[in-house]
């Protein structure tokens, strides 16, 4: 199955793939961020691959000068019992990436979570609001430069 | 309680005393069960620890019918507004037990999202230590509230009571 996935992806999206990595039987494909929806659509719709399940979608902050953030997509094909990980790197200067809610509607809340925690903006998302923090909160708490105890006064307590 | 029994079939007492006696034996708790402490709170209400012995078995899920709020769990900043709103809706006199480490101090959640003790936004009468506290300790906390009522204290008056973990 692994070879089929790699073959099909490289045949169609060779210029969109940064690199492909395999470690301990886990296949990871790092993509250019413009291609993410096309690749996901292809993986989902292809009859042979049939990645019908988005098992997880998450943001990550590597706190490095270039491509500071990553969005990770863990896919699973129920038909083939095969897992695939996609990654997209996002630079601090442009925090936008296309939403994959048109492919898997389950990505809705997970993209909201990544937006809430890291400030990654998912374009074309149907309802991009904060997931956990109050709507008026101005920071993104899972960023590495956010202090553990928060910013004093940023979260209101009720009047005593 | 200072009642004077009489052989003629009546007794005399002060109105405050009899009202306090009635109140302390019918504290209706508002179960503000937010996380794992709520499991121990359920055990405290159940047949083994049997809070019915103290007249508090009627857990009211409406704040308007309760006079004791047991805050059992980690209170986040987002949840704090809900807790305060429920407290505001309870009729006076009302009492608050902070159950467990998270509720009393933030506990192990030393984090941006967790309120470091609910006394930052709600007056607390009894703190119960433990993570989670045993149901007996919560019973002890309830009994302390009963003693406060018996002594004629008002909520938030006098010193706070701290129930230690091995009390």
């Amino acid at each position: 199955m692994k070879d089929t996935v790699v073959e099909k992806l490289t045949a169609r999206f060779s210029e969109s793939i940064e690199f492909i990595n395999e470690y301990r039987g886990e296949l990871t494909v790092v993509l250019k961020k413009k291609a993410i929806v096309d690749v996901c659509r292809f993986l989902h719709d292809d009859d042979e691959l049939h990645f019908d399940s988005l098992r997880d979608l998450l943001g990550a902050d590597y706190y490095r000068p270039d491509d500071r953030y990553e969005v990770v997509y863990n896919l699973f094909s129920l038909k083939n019992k095969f897992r695939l990980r996609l990654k997209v790197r996002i630079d601090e200067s442009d925090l936008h990436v296309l939403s994959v809610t048109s492919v898997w509607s389950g990505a809705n809340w997970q993209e909201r979570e990544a937006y809430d925690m890291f400030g990654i903006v998912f374009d074309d998302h149907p309802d991009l609001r904060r997931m956990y923090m109050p709507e008026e909160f101005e920071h993104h708490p899972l960023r590495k430069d956010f202090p553990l105890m928060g910013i004093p006064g940023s979260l209101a307590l009720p009047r005593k | 309680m200072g009642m004077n029994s009489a052989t003629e079939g009546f007794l005399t007492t002060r109105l405050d005393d009899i009202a306090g006696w009635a109140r302390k034996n019918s504290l209706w708790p508002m179960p503000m069960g937010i996380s794992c402490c709520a499991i121990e709170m359920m055990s405290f209400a159940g047949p083994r620890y049997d809070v019915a012995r103290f007249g508090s078995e009627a857990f009211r899920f409406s704040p308007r019918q309760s006079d004791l709020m047991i805050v059992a769990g980690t209170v986040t900043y987002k949840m704090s507004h809900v807790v305060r709103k429920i407290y505001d809706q309870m009729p006076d006199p009302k009492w608050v037990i902070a159950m467990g480490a998270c509720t009393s101090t933030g506990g192990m959640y030393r984090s941006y999202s967790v309120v470091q003790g609910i006394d930052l936004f709600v007056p607390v009468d009894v703190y119960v230590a433990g993570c989670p506290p045993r149901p007996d300790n919560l019973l002890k906390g309830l009994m302390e509230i009963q003693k406060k009522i018996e002594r004629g204290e008002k909520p938030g008056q006098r010193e706070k009571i701290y129930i230690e973990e091995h009390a």
Side-chain angles (χ1 to χ4, degrees):
Chain A
M1 195 62 221
K2 202 171 292 163
D3 302 330
T4 324
V5 174
V6 174
E7 257 169 51
K8 285 210 168 192
L9 278 180
T10 42
R12 265 186 88 106
F13 299 104
S14 58
E15 73 287 353
S16 305
I17 295 172
E18 300 262 10
F19 59 89
I20 298 175
N21 174 31
E22 200 197 326
Y23 179 67
R24 299 209 170 187
E26 296 178 9
L27 189 63
T28 304
V29 180
V30 180
L31 296 162
K32 293 208 169 72
K33 79 176 180 182
K34 262 179 266 164
I36 184 67
V37 176
D38 293 337
V39 172
C40 287
R41 173 57 66 193
F42 168 73
L43 290 168
H44 178 270
D45 289 353
D46 189 89
D47 282 335
E48 196 186 352
L49 302 179
H50 204 72
F51 282 98
D52 46 357
S53 173
L54 176 72
R55 279 296 150 101
D56 202 3
L57 186 158
L58 51 119
D61 180 2
Y62 286 90
Y63 208 46
R64 56 195 173 200
D66 300 319
D67 295 336
R68 176 172 160 184
Y69 301 102
E70 266 182 12
V71 181
V72 184
Y73 306 78
N74 286 327
L75 313 184
F76 183 61
S77 164
L78 289 162
K79 188 172 127 192
N80 301 314
K81 298 185 177 60
F82 185 76
R83 290 177 196 278
L84 171 67
R85 183 177 299 117
L86 304 178
K87 283 185 179 180
V88 164
R89 292 184 168 171
I90 294 170
D91 196 74
E92 214 170 350
S93 59
D94 180 20
L95 290 167
H96 291 258
V97 65
L98 282 166
S99 163
V100 295
T101 44
S102 57
V103 185
W104 300 279
S105 49
N108 189 324
W109 281 15
Q110 290 163 346
E111 289 182 345
R112 280 178 61 188
E113 181 188 1
Y115 163 69
D116 189 358
M117 292 291 131
F118 296 99
I120 298 163
V121 181
F122 293 86
D123 294 333
D124 301 335
H125 189 285
D127 181 29
L128 196 65
R129 285 177 296 136
R130 283 183 176 277
M131 192 71 202
Y132 303 129
M133 303 305 288
E135 299 226 355
E136 63 274 12
F137 189 62
E138 287 169 353
H139 310 278
H140 298 286
L142 280 194
R143 286 185 177 178
K144 295 282 187 215
D145 50 3
F146 185 83
L148 177 65
M149 286 309 289
I151 293 162
S154 62
L155 281 165
L157 272 177
R159 204 165 31 82
K160 192 165 179 175
Chain B
M1 206 168 94
M3 290 189 193
N4 304 316
S5 58
T7 48
E8 286 82 18
F10 67 91
L11 50 84
T12 56
T13 179
R14 293 190 311 155
L15 186 61
D16 277 358
D17 283 347
I18 194 107
W21 173 79
R23 274 182 184 143
K24 95 175 167 71
N25 288 304
S26 63
L27 278 168
W28 285 8
M30 165 75 220
M32 196 69 229
I34 299 167
S35 48
C36 24
C37 275
I39 305 296
E40 298 303 304
M41 185 174 62
M42 287 180 241
S43 175
F44 148 92
R48 190 176 180 102
Y49 293 93
D50 197 15
V51 76
R53 294 178 292 158
F54 303 89
S56 297
E57 75 278 21
F59 274 75
R60 303 323 280 192
F61 292 89
S62 161
R64 298 179 198 286
Q65 299 175 347
S66 45
D67 45 11
L68 167 68
M69 181 163 73
I70 303 175
V71 185
T74 318
V75 183
T76 58
Y77 278 88
K78 213 173 173 181
M79 194 67 193
S80 66
H81 298 270
V82 180
V83 175
R84 179 68 209 199
K85 186 171 270 181
I86 285 174
Y87 175 78
D88 286 341
Q89 287 173 343
M90 284 164 55
D92 278 320
K94 50 194 173 185
W95 307 84
V96 178
I97 294 180
M99 180 184 180
C102 298
T103 318
S104 306
T105 66
M108 67 176 186
Y109 297 103
R110 206 159 154 68
S111 147
Y112 65 92
S113 58
V114 175
V115 183
Q116 304 291 303
I118 62 162
D119 45 9
L120 291 172
F121 64 90
V122 142
V124 177
D125 298 291
V126 172
Y127 298 83
V128 183
C131 184
R134 287 183 55 87
D136 350 19
N137 274 12
L138 186 55
L139 277 176
K140 179 104 192 299
L142 180 79
M143 288 161 76
E144 291 298 333
I145 297 260
Q146 290 187 328
K147 280 184 204 157
K148 275 170 171 276
I149 298 173
E150 201 172 4
R151 290 196 296 262
E153 290 179 31
K154 299 274 182 300
Q157 219 183 22
R158 302 284 182 86
E159 83 281 26
K160 313 279 184 204
I161 307 279
Y162 302 91
I163 309 293
E164 285 172 25
E165 194 159 7
H166 301 293

